[in-house]
Structure formats: C-alpha cells, structure tokens
C-alpha cells in the first residue's frame, strides 16, 4: 500500500483565500478552493500527480485541446454532515465514467490509486470549503485535456488530468420550463453522447440560447433520427411520472449514464415505486399531458440533484404540469440528500467517507 507522499507531490498555499468568499451568495462555478491537482501524461505514462495552489496555467496556442477538442470531464460533490464529517457520493462511478469517456476520445485511462489519493488529499486540505447544510456542497470537477503542441489532426501524445473544486449551492432554485426539440440534436447513434466530452456541451449552447429567447431554461432533447423519442435535457437525465409510474429513457451511446439517474431508479424501487426504463415518445408525453395522467417531469444530475419542471412546449403549444401533493421529485430529492448528508441510513452503500485525520 502506497502512502500519499509516495503517490503525490504536495505544495500548499501560504494563505487560504476562503475569507474572501461570501458563502451565502455564491454563483455556481465562480469561486474555487485553494488547491488543485495536476497530473501530466507524457512518454507513454502518467507522471506523479501534484497538488498545487489553484491558479492560472500556461499553454501554447498549438495545444491540441484547442484544435481537436480532446477533453472530457466529470462532476462530483462532497458533503459535510452535522458532525463535520465529509462524504463523497458514489465516487467510483465517476472514476469509472471518466475513463469510459477518455477511452472514447482516445485519451489514456487514469490510474485509480492516483485518482483517489488526489481526491482525498484535496478534500483534507480544503475541508473548510465544504460547508454543511441543505444545498451546500463542494462541487468537484475532474477533467482531462490534450496538452501536446501541434496542429496535426491526430490524438495527442501528452495530456493533463486535473481536479478543481468550487463551493456550490442549489443549481436550480426554482422550477424550470423546457422546450422539446424538434430540429436540433444533442447526439447521434455511434457518436459520443454517452461520454462527458466537452464538445457535447458546447454544441448545445446555441439551440439552448434559442430556447432561452422564448422563455425556456432548458431543452428536452429528442433522438436525432426521427425526433420521436425523448432522451435527456441539457445537463440532466429526465424522469416522467405518468399516473404513479416513473419512466426514464434507457442509456445508450446517445445518453449519459447519469450517477444521479441510476440512484433515483434504485431509490424509487426501494420505496415501492414502479419504474420503467424504456423509450418514451413525444406523442405519449403530449397525450398524457392532455388527458391529465402526466403528473411530473423532473431532471437529475450532479449539479442539479433534482430539478423540478413546471411545464414544456412542443410544436408551439405549452403544457402546464399540475400542482400535486407529495410529488415524487420532492420525496426522492429529500431521500437522496438525506443519504448524501449522512442524515439517514444508506442501504445501498453509496456514501464514501473522507478520512480527515
């Protein structure tokens, strides 16, 4: 078993900048914790990871990430309970998924011992950045970029794997309205939709801006072949409640295998709710909205946890969702957060304690 010093080079900040941050008024992704991890891939191997003070870095204009988009990322959160213990939520899922994404983008997979040693060391050093309380967390962003210089159209021979952290509150503070896509697509069969590739998100900004001009915060994406089947929304997987049944689209090479998504499926079934993982059509959604059997739509993701959707537009017609008592979305969000914040039993073994001493 390696010690942390064997695995990591650590250089701590001289003075924390935490007292410069107003934790009651945080814009998501604008303030960053004191330290970051950087690990270089060169000469065919990942080098010794470094923990450094968070700060700007230099890259040559010819770095391949700027030209060919070899970049993948993950989203994770650390939570603090009322006893000041720090917890991660299913971190092995994120570790496995970033390597799945990397493989699809021809990026070398990252070693597990490096990943967890760096993650735990960052959280020990920046433990004060993890604030307790509902909605508070430390958002963790592991990512990999192609760093080799050269504009030849080929995979890079050099990469940087990095982890940065930022304090976060609730991503969506109020219900959102969504527009069902009937023209633009997020991903296609055989593509990279299942990977957390940076370009997936850049490509959806323009159609999302068009939706925002119409008063919608997100798009519900449909399949690229026919625009017949509902898939996911922006940065979230989707769930539809028709009567008392919960429906979500199956994962595929177009749809991200969301950690929160699979957790909600397990949590719902554990609570006796019927869940169907199957294709759902726009026609079925509209029909359910018109006959009153559509009770809820909600999105799930690491940043959002659960985002409540109050209505959707399709084919120039808007459908309001009903106000119901004891919605699944509220129940499952509480159930999930009670596990994440160590307020309830964890029958699934999802919590991962970060040893701070």
């Amino acid at each position: 078993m390696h010690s942390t010093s064997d695995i990591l080079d650590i250089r701590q900040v001289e003075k924390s900048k935490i007292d410069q941050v107003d934790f009651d008024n945080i814009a998501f992704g604008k303030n960053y914790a004191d330290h970051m991890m950087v690990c270089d891939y060169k000469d065919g191997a990942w080098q010794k990871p470094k923990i450094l003070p968070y700060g700007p870095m230099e890259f040559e204009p010819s770095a391949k990430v700027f030209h060919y988009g070899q970049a993948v990322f993950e989203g994770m959160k650390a939570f603090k309970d009322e006893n000041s213990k720090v917890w991660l939520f299913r971190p092995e899922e994120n570790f496995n998924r970033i390597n799945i994404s990397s493989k699809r983008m021809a990026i070398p997979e990252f070693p597990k011992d490096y990943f967890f040693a760096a993650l735990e060391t960052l959280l020990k050093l920046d433990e004060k950045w993890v604030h307790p309380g509902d909605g508070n967390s430390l958002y963790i962003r592991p990512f990999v970029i192609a760093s080799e210089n050269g504009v030849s159209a080929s995979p890079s021979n050099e990469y940087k794997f990095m982890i940065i952290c930022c304090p976060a509150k609730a991503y969506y503070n109020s219900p959102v309205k969504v527009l069902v896509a009937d023209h633009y697509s997020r991903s296609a069969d055989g593509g990279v939709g299942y990977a957390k590739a940076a370009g997936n998100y850049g490509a959806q900004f323009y159609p999302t801006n068009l939706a925002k001009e119409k008063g919608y915060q997100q798009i519900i994406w449909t399949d690229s072949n026919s625009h017949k089947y509902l898939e996911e929304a922006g940065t979230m997987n989707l769930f539809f409640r028709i009567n008392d049944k919960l429906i979500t689209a199956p994962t595929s090479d177009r749809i991200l295998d969301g950690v929160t998504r699979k957790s909600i499926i397990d949590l719902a079934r554990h609570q006796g709710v019927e869940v169907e993982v199957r294709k759902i059509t726009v026609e079925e959604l509209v029909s359910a909205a018109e006959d009153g059997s559509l009770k809820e739509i909600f999105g799930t993701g690491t940043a959002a946890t659960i985002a409540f959707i109050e209505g959707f537009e399709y084919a120039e017609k808007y459908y309001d969702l009903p106000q119901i008592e004891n919605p699944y979305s509220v129940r499952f969000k509480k159930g999930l957060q009670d596990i994440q914040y160590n307020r309830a039993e964890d029958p699934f073994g999802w919590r991962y304690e970060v040893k701070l001493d």
Side-chain angles (χ1 to χ4, degrees), residues 25-69:
N25 297 285
I26 293 175
F28 183 79
K30 293 297 184 183
N31 302 99
Y32 288 86
D34 291 319
H35 298 91
M36 64 182 183
M37 185 277 277
V38 181
C39 185
D40 290 308
Y41 181 90
K42 60 183 180 181
D43 300 325
W46 288 103
Q47 307 300 301
K48 192 173 187 179
K50 299 175 182 177
I51 303 292
L52 303 171
Y54 177 89
M57 303 182 71
E58 286 190 354
F59 294 91
E60 291 196 24
S62 56
K64 288 202 172 189
V65 66
F66 302 136
H67 303 274
Y68 302 110

Side-chain angles (χ1 to χ4, degrees), residues 127-149:
E127 172 263 331
K128 288 184 171 57
W129 291 81
V130 191
H131 271 219
D134 266 348
N136 294 325
S137 62
L138 187 69
Y139 183 81
I140 302 164
R141 171 56 62 90
F143 63 102
V144 196
I145 59 172
S147 54
E148 182 188 7
N149 301 319

Side-chain angles (χ1 to χ4, degrees), residues 106-118:
I107 296 170
E109 296 179 38
F110 197 65
K112 185 175 182 178
D113 56 346
Y114 284 8
F115 182 83
F116 279 92

